Amino acid sequence: MKKVLLASACLFALAAPASAADLAARPYTKAPIAPAAAVYNWTGFYLGIVGGGAWESASGDPKMKGGFVGGTAGYNWQTGNVVFGIEADGSWADVSASATALGLTVSSKTDALGTVRGRIGWAVNNVLFYGTGGYAWIDNKVSVSALGVTVSDSKFHSGWTVGAGVEAFFAPQWSVKGEYLYRSLGGETYFSGLGAPITTGTLNFHTVQVGVNYHFGAPVVAKY
């Protein structure tokens, strides 16, 4: 019996390598390539549209308030996660208020407004958080009406603005932004040529605006 068992074990040991040799070799499969990750580069020129609302920062009533819509243009430079930029915007506006007393109505209406600002922010891939500040202006008209007669005078007010916002790419060359600005405009004297001048104090506005920008060039870099 021992001889039979030993002979069987020897035969099995000899047959195993031969059986393994008859097995087909495992096919070689190449590791799948990881999909490309999009890395956004904010450097470049852009154009866009902007619109929003404005209201006067004043303690009493009436307060000027209304809306505006216009265009914007700018350029960004990115180094690491830091983004520097310059931006200019101009809008048609309807921001107004009026008051009536003793049959006399005085109204003030901002027909246009705009800014030229610097921006500095921190980019987290396709999202940019930024602060901004610079020059602000408005074109304002004061009208006085009495006994069916209206006289008007327009003045250009200059001042400064400061604010903050967030902007994000939602497509390879398109971004959307939301922004808050505080605008302070110096006072002007109206109707000085009529002998009855009206001098305004500093005009301060809060504005909230949204915009959509198109970025020229190639702001998206594919990275594996």
Side-chain angles (χ1 to χ4, degrees):
M1 179 61 69
K2 290 181 181 179
K3 290 181 180 180
V4 172
L5 291 174
L6 288 173
S8 299
C10 291
L11 288 173
F12 181 79
L14 292 173
S19 299
D22 291 338
L23 294 176
R26 293 182 62 187
Y28 172 75
T29 57
K30 190 176 181 180
I33 299 175
V39 177
Y40 287 78
N41 184 349
W42 288 83
T43 297
F45 177 70
Y46 60 90
L47 292 174
I49 58 173
V50 65
W55 63 98
E56 189 178 2
S57 176
S59 57
D61 286 321
K63 297 179 182 178
M64 296 176 66
K65 58 184 177 180
F68 59 91
V69 63
T72 185
Y75 193 91
N76 291 319
W77 297 267
Q78 182 171 356
T79 174
N81 291 92
V82 179
V83 177
F84 302 91
I86 185 169
E87 183 175 285
D89 61 71
S91 298
W92 294 275
D94 185 0
V95 181
S96 62
S98 64
T100 301
L102 302 175
L104 184 70
T105 300
V106 179
S107 63
S108 180
K109 180 182 178 183
T110 295
D111 295 311
L113 53 82
T115 66
V116 179
R117 295 174 282 116
R119 302 200 309 173
I120 182 170
W122 184 264
V124 184
N125 200 13
N126 67 317
V127 180
L128 176 66
F129 302 92
Y130 63 89
T132 182
Y135 171 74
W137 60 268
I138 64 170
D139 186 15
N140 195 69
K141 180 172 69 174
V142 172
S143 300
V144 178
S145 300
L147 301 175
V149 178
T150 300
V151 292
S152 301
D153 192 14
S154 296
K155 295 293 180 181
F156 191 87
H157 295 247
S158 292
W160 55 269
T161 181
V162 66
V166 60
E167 186 172 359
F169 278 103
F170 62 88
Q173 290 177 284
W174 291 92
S175 68
V176 61
K177 72 175 181 181
E179 192 170 64
Y180 164 79
L181 295 176
Y182 180 81
R183 310 177 193 227
S184 182
L185 295 310
E188 293 289 339
T189 299
Y190 292 77
F191 306 110
S192 57
L194 297 180
I198 297 176
T199 301
T200 69
T202 301
L203 297 176
N204 299 314
F205 290 96
H206 301 283
T207 61
V208 175
Q209 56 197 47
V210 295
V212 176
N213 293 327
Y214 178 82
H215 298 255
F216 295 87
V220 183
V221 178
K223 198 171 187 178
Y224 291 94

